[in-house]
Amino acid sequence: MSNIGTKIYGWLDERYDLTALVEFGKKKTVPIHRESVWYYFGGLSLFLFMVQVMSGVLLLLYYRPGADQAYESVKFIVTNVEFGWLVRAIHSWSANLMIFAAFIHMFSVYFTKAYRKPRELTWITGMIMFFLAMGFGFSGYLLPWNELAFFATKVGTDIVGVVPGIGEFLMKVLRGGDDVTGATLSRFFGFHIALLPAIFSAFLGLHLMLVQKLGMSTPIEYEKADNSNLKTMPFFPNFMLRDALLWLIVLNVLAILAVFFPFGIGPLHWPLGLKADPFAPAPAGIQPEWYFMFMFQTLKMIPGKVLFIEGELLGIFAFGAAGLAWTLVPFWDKKSARGEKNKLINILGIAAIAFIILMTAIGWL
Amino acid sequence: MKSIKSSIAFLLAGFLIVAFGDTGLAKDECLNCHQELEDELQTPALKIKNDIHFQKGLTCADCHGGDPTSDDPDISMSRAKGFRGVPSHQTVPQFCARCHSDANFMKTYNPRLPVDQYQKYKTSIHGQKIVKGDEKVANCVSCHSVHEIMPANNPKSSIYPVNLPQTCAKCHADEEYMKEYGIPTDQFSKFSVSVHGKALLEKKDIGAPACNDCHGNHGATPPGIGSISNVCEQCHVVMGELFSKSPHKPAFQEMDLPQCETCHSNHDIIPPNDDMIGVTEQSICMECHAEDEENDGYKVAAQMRMRIDSLRVRYEKAKKLLEEAEEKGMEVSDARFDLKDVYSALVATRSDIHSFSLPVVLETSNSGLELADKTMEKGKQALEEYNFRRLGLGISTLIITLLIIALYMKIKAIEREQKTS
């Protein structure tokens, strides 16, 4: 370390006891086994979130909220601003890849039962961040104020309104009135760039702190085996550098996708299209983002009435209950907590993945 | 007990009033009787329920006279009671005109309905022939039907725009029926394949003209040679104005040629195309203007066609360039907007052909050509930008890939060192 560096380190160490932190980092290891590959998806989600923050800040330099300016400003970004098209494409692709990485991270943690004691809160904070990420997606989708975004938001917020009791109130809160208007856009802009990032950052800090404190979880089968045989690698620098290697590879993929498909590809697309017109008829083929598709398709397929309950309401309750049960899995999966195998968890997880893939495919076809 | 009895009597009386009290049907003995009769005597009573007159509260007696309150035919259909009976073919127009020419009476039902039908009818070929005793020529009921008359805006009506050509064709497409008049009977078959006929009959576009829009309805008559452009101009305003100022107007008049019809025909008007203009074999211009480099008409036709072709080719080129750029993910919505203006200029140039004036065509086409060039330039720039992006991507990918390799080697080196230590 250079002389100045040593001096700065010394100054900080004297006040904040950095040596203790460095010692902690030196001792920190990551288990090596067949499932180690899944450890990288948490870091990858974090990397893509950082890309989101950086590209989002750049977009913010030119984006103007408001029904009479939003569409024009996004159009200006992609046509006139130097590399504006690239920043928007990166922001859009990175958002989708982040959700995808978060899905893989969530399912890998689920199947390896990494949520079991003592990591219950790590799982809970992760799940909250997953829901917040979806909120980022939903609120960000409206910001270009184009036709597709307008009607997709209308349909999405209509679904919220179905919930008995608080549904209508929630819908009005989201929309800032009875209908999707410029007030909704201002509100979603606020959610997207201030409220959600603030909450997300708090949970992200907590999540990372818990990960550092508790270390990486070892799957049950390796934990039960003789621990002295389990290989490990130091977190610093080995795992961190491997993480960085994957981030660079993903950055390369992101650049290729952004250049060749700046407005997306297939069902994963975000063309600017026409400006939102509340008086125009809804265009054909309104679809939510891919990660909402399985829920949207299920609600579409449920009959209007199931026994005495409204079909849509039943669907919303079912998804709510399933989401809650999924989030609380560390508290009801007693077997895994005791270090025993739990096949039911695997069956439920596989069923959930199959259901998501099937419903998404039906929605797209 | 007494009160119960009086209540029942009151309810019964109420029921009878509601059931039979105020229905025209119950009072109108004409309908009651004719419903029980057979064939043509029964038909009017069955059809009349769909008739606008009946729906507005008029009864049989309002047209035919007589006493509808009596069920005795000798009284209800007696001349003493004003019974007029069935009008003859020749007297139908006057029969209808009793009310329909009476502005005071008609405005109590529909103030917007004209009251000049009979006056116009008298000026029509139909009206002129009927007074000469022609028993076959159309009168009111030939087109409007009898006893089932519906307003023109009712899609079931025989005079609803989409149904009107068929109504006229009942007589005018019947060779046998029309034989003695010596006029063609192919109007409907020609109209059906025309641009107007397809729009009206296939697309059900009631904005497209039916027979009456060119020939008039009650005053139906073939438009004279000199007035055809006035007829077409009702819809094709710009072309009509340009033509009336063009050198073709006096020339056609002198040669006794119908105006629009000479180039576009009448009933079988096909969608116009660029081949109609110019000096090729398919060109209509060549029917009058001989192939002669010194002939002004020939020269103008050739140059006008050249301008249209240039504009069309450049429009298509610009469109192709923008499509290619869009396929490659480039944002060219502004250029797309310009392309619409180029297309508008092409349409305007095609319209300006009707001026048959080269300067007019040049002025419009020049602005279009200029814009087409600008749009093509925007398309080319978008494609150049795409290539620049690919180059930039190539360089950055190379740098990132080198970093990946370097990092990989660093990790391997660290791990080797850790193993040995």
Side-chain angles (χ1 to χ4, degrees):
Chain A
M1 208 181 284
S2 70
N3 205 21
I4 299 173
T6 316
K7 276 185 182 171
I8 294 171
Y9 180 81
W11 190 90
L12 289 170
D13 190 34
E14 192 184 346
R15 286 159 180 82
Y16 307 111
D17 193 16
L18 287 189
T19 309
L21 271 177
V22 171
E23 286 308 311
F24 173 77
K26 275 182 185 169
K27 282 179 202 157
K28 197 172 155 55
T29 56
V30 176
I32 302 174
H33 47 78
R34 271 196 320 176
E35 273 86 35
S36 293
V37 66
W38 303 116
Y39 289 144
Y40 294 98
F41 283 90
L44 183 58
S45 309
L46 174 66
F47 167 69
L48 290 166
F49 176 71
M50 291 188 296
V51 173
Q52 283 304 92
V53 173
M54 285 186 283
S55 54
V57 168
L58 290 176
L59 287 175
L60 206 51
L61 298 179
Y62 291 94
Y63 179 78
R64 293 191 301 269
D68 52 347
Q69 298 188 88
Y71 176 84
E72 287 76 8
S73 69
V74 176
K75 197 168 184 182
F76 181 75
I77 288 170
V78 294
T79 51
N80 293 333
V81 175
E82 285 285 331
F83 295 106
W85 62 273
L86 181 66
V87 178
R88 181 175 185 244
I90 293 267
H91 195 72
S92 305
W93 271 114
S94 166
N96 284 284
L97 291 179
M98 184 181 92
I99 301 267
F100 186 63
F103 257 108
I104 295 175
H105 182 48
M106 178 184 72
F107 277 108
S108 65
V109 170
Y110 178 86
F111 283 113
T112 54
K113 283 64 169 196
Y115 51 74
R116 69 190 186 280
K117 189 183 172 186
R119 297 182 177 79
E120 296 96 328
L121 286 183
T122 320
W123 168 264
I124 298 279
T125 50
M127 282 307 298
I128 291 171
M129 280 196 293
F130 182 73
F131 294 133
L132 289 171
M134 287 184 146
F136 268 116
F138 188 63
S139 57
Y141 199 62
L142 181 67
L143 300 191
W145 196 244
N146 55 10
E147 203 179 38
L148 212 63
F150 176 83
F151 286 103
T153 305
K154 201 167 157 53
V155 173
T157 46
D158 271 343
I159 292 171
V160 177
V162 175
V163 180
I166 55 162
E168 202 152 317
F169 170 75
L170 271 181
M171 191 180 79
K172 277 189 182 176
V173 169
L174 279 175
R175 288 181 173 178
D178 289 326
D179 292 309
V180 176
T181 59
T184 321
L185 180 61
S186 305
R187 207 157 274 231
F188 274 39
F189 176 67
F191 293 155
H192 194 75
I193 66 134
L195 189 65
L196 289 174
I199 303 171
F200 193 92
S201 302
F203 279 101
L204 180 63
L206 190 59
H207 190 76
L208 291 176
M209 198 189 77
L210 289 171
V211 170
Q212 293 307 318
K213 172 78 182 157
L214 300 170
M216 304 288 202
S217 159
T218 311
I220 294 171
E221 55 267 39
Y222 298 101
E223 201 175 50
K224 282 173 80 178
D226 185 2
N227 249 342
S228 59
N229 286 339
L230 191 65
K231 285 186 188 169
T232 59
M233 72 164 99
F235 190 92
F236 299 104
N238 297 45
F239 188 78
M240 198 191 72
L241 287 178
R242 279 166 187 263
D243 247 350
L245 187 70
L246 180 64
W247 294 5
L248 280 176
I249 293 169
V250 172
L251 184 66
N252 234 350
V253 172
L254 201 54
I256 292 166
L257 288 172
V259 169
F260 284 103
F261 312 105
F263 297 100
I265 183 170
L268 215 76
H269 64 291
W270 41 88
L272 200 50
L274 298 172
K275 186 176 176 173
D277 178 3
F279 301 108
I286 299 172
Q287 281 188 342
E289 299 247 61
W290 63 269
Y291 39 89
F292 291 120
M293 180 52 99
F294 72 97
M295 290 187 272
F296 181 70
Q297 185 58 33
T298 311
L299 292 179
K300 256 170 70 178
M301 286 169 74
I302 295 178
K305 270 261 192 255
V306 180
L307 297 174
F308 55 91
I309 310 171
E310 260 188 59
E312 201 174 21
L313 192 62
L314 183 73
I316 292 167
F317 275 133
F319 279 120
L324 188 67
W326 189 268
T327 308
L328 298 176
V329 66
F331 302 105
W332 56 263
D333 177 16
K334 302 287 182 199
K335 272 188 167 181
S336 300
R338 289 195 298 268
E340 294 167 24
K341 278 191 177 180
N342 190 346
K343 278 190 181 171
L344 177 70
I345 291 290
N346 290 356
I347 293 167
L348 285 176
I350 290 166
I353 291 177
F355 176 76
I356 291 171
I357 292 174
L358 182 72
M359 282 298 162
T360 308
I362 294 172
W364 279 353
L365 293 176
Chain B
M1 194 66 192
K2 198 178 173 185
S3 68
I4 293 173
K5 271 185 184 173
S6 53
S7 298
I8 291 171
F10 182 74
L11 281 172
L12 195 62
F15 171 75
L16 289 170
I17 288 167
V18 170
F20 305 107
D22 197 29
T23 57
L25 217 63
K27 277 182 184 171
D28 196 336
E29 292 300 339
C30 311
L31 268 182
N32 289 346
C33 256
H34 278 267
Q35 273 172 344
E36 303 301 320
L37 297 173
E38 287 178 351
D39 301 329
E40 71 265 25
L41 290 173
Q42 187 197 35
T43 311
L46 300 179
K47 280 184 170 181
I48 198 76
K49 283 156 198 165
N50 297 322
D51 194 294
I52 183 70
H53 300 98
F54 181 78
Q55 287 164 1
K56 291 281 182 187
L58 295 172
T59 64
C60 310
D62 287 316
C63 294
H64 294 284
D67 180 3
T69 58
S70 170
D71 59 0
D72 180 350
D74 291 334
I75 299 169
S76 61
M77 290 163 61
S78 73
R79 296 284 165 191
K81 292 281 184 182
F83 184 66
R84 281 185 291 276
V86 180
S88 68
H89 185 83
Q90 274 171 298
T91 58
V92 166
Q94 294 98 307
F95 190 84
C96 299
R98 280 175 47 246
C99 296
H100 279 276
S101 293
D102 183 343
N104 284 329
F105 179 75
M106 288 308 296
K107 72 182 172 192
T108 61
Y109 286 96
N110 183 354
R112 291 174 61 198
L113 206 67
V115 287
D116 60 351
Q117 297 96 329
Y118 183 53
Q119 290 306 316
K120 281 183 174 171
Y121 179 76
K122 285 194 284 189
T123 68
S124 73
I125 299 289
H126 297 141
Q128 287 166 23
K129 284 195 181 294
I130 208 165
V131 292
K132 289 177 188 161
D134 190 328
E135 288 284 324
K136 286 167 71 181
V137 78
N139 62 18
C140 314
V141 297
S142 312
C143 303
H144 290 278
S145 84
V146 198
H147 299 125
E148 206 172 22
I149 299 167
M150 296 176 197
N153 59 7
N154 184 333
K156 287 182 181 171
S157 165
S158 55
I159 52 159
Y160 183 69
V162 175
N163 306 328
L164 188 77
Q166 283 283 9
T167 301
C168 299
K170 269 195 310 186
C171 300
H172 281 274
D174 187 335
E175 269 181 52
E176 192 56 39
Y177 194 81
M178 298 302 291
K179 209 172 184 178
E180 64 188 85
Y181 300 107
I183 58 171
T185 52
D186 58 358
Q187 299 95 329
F188 180 70
S189 59
K190 281 181 170 178
F191 176 77
S192 309
V193 295
S194 75
V195 63
H196 296 141
K198 282 186 175 170
L200 184 69
L201 305 174
E202 289 176 17
K203 294 181 189 162
K204 312 290 179 200
D205 176 1
I206 59 168
C211 315
N212 63 321
D213 289 297
C214 299
H215 294 281
N217 33 28
H218 300 105
T221 180
I225 283 175
S227 62
I228 284 180
S229 68
N230 296 337
V231 172
C232 303
E233 198 182 319
Q234 295 305 310
C235 298
H236 301 281
V237 182
V238 176
M239 284 77 152
E241 276 178 14
L242 288 167
F243 184 85
S244 61
K245 290 175 195 159
S246 80
H248 272 171
K249 172 125 180 170
F252 278 25
Q253 270 172 348
E254 203 176 298
M255 293 163 75
D256 216 13
L257 287 172
Q259 295 151 355
C260 315
E261 188 185 333
T262 301
C263 300
H264 294 281
S265 83
N266 49 12
H267 297 108
D268 53 347
I269 297 169
I270 55 158
N273 59 64
D274 293 340
D275 283 337
M276 289 169 76
I277 192 88
V279 290
T280 59
E281 272 180 30
Q282 301 96 321
S283 158
I284 294 167
C285 310
M286 293 300 284
E287 287 175 16
C288 298
H289 296 284
E291 189 172 348
D292 176 5
E293 297 293 338
E294 297 305 311
N295 180 301
D296 281 348
Y298 181 86
K299 281 193 288 187
V300 169
Q303 288 188 51
M304 286 198 300
R305 174 64 187 272
M306 207 166 69
R307 301 301 290 191
I308 288 181
D309 283 349
S310 311
L311 191 49
R312 196 192 62 238
V313 167
R314 282 195 224 184
Y315 165 76
E316 280 163 5
K317 262 189 187 175
K319 188 171 169 234
K320 208 174 158 194
L321 274 170
L322 296 185
E323 279 169 355
E324 195 184 335
E326 270 175 345
E327 272 172 26
K328 289 179 170 165
M330 303 304 293
E331 160 53 54
V332 285
S333 57
D334 281 346
R336 273 267 178 209
F337 205 70
D338 290 344
L339 190 69
K340 279 185 186 169
D341 287 345
V342 177
Y343 188 73
S344 300
L346 178 60
V347 172
T349 307
R350 283 170 175 156
S351 300
D352 282 350
I353 294 300
H354 297 91
S355 70
F356 301 101
S357 154
L358 195 55
V360 173
V361 172
L362 285 178
E363 195 186 335
T364 315
S365 60
N366 276 345
S367 66
L369 286 167
E370 210 174 293
L371 195 59
D373 287 344
K374 278 185 191 164
T375 313
M376 274 198 284
E377 193 51 40
K378 283 183 182 173
K380 282 178 193 162
Q381 278 173 2
L383 289 174
E384 278 167 18
E385 166 73 12
Y386 174 73
N387 289 332
F388 168 74
R389 288 180 186 185
R390 285 209 303 178
L391 180 71
L393 174 72
I395 295 168
S396 60
T397 305
L398 186 69
I399 295 169
I400 297 171
T401 308
L402 287 174
L403 272 172
I404 290 169
I405 295 167
L407 192 58
Y408 179 76
M409 289 168 73
K410 177 75 182 165
I411 292 168
K412 287 290 160 195
I414 289 171
E415 285 177 354
R416 266 199 306 274
E417 200 180 309
Q418 282 168 348
K419 267 186 190 172
T420 52
S421 62

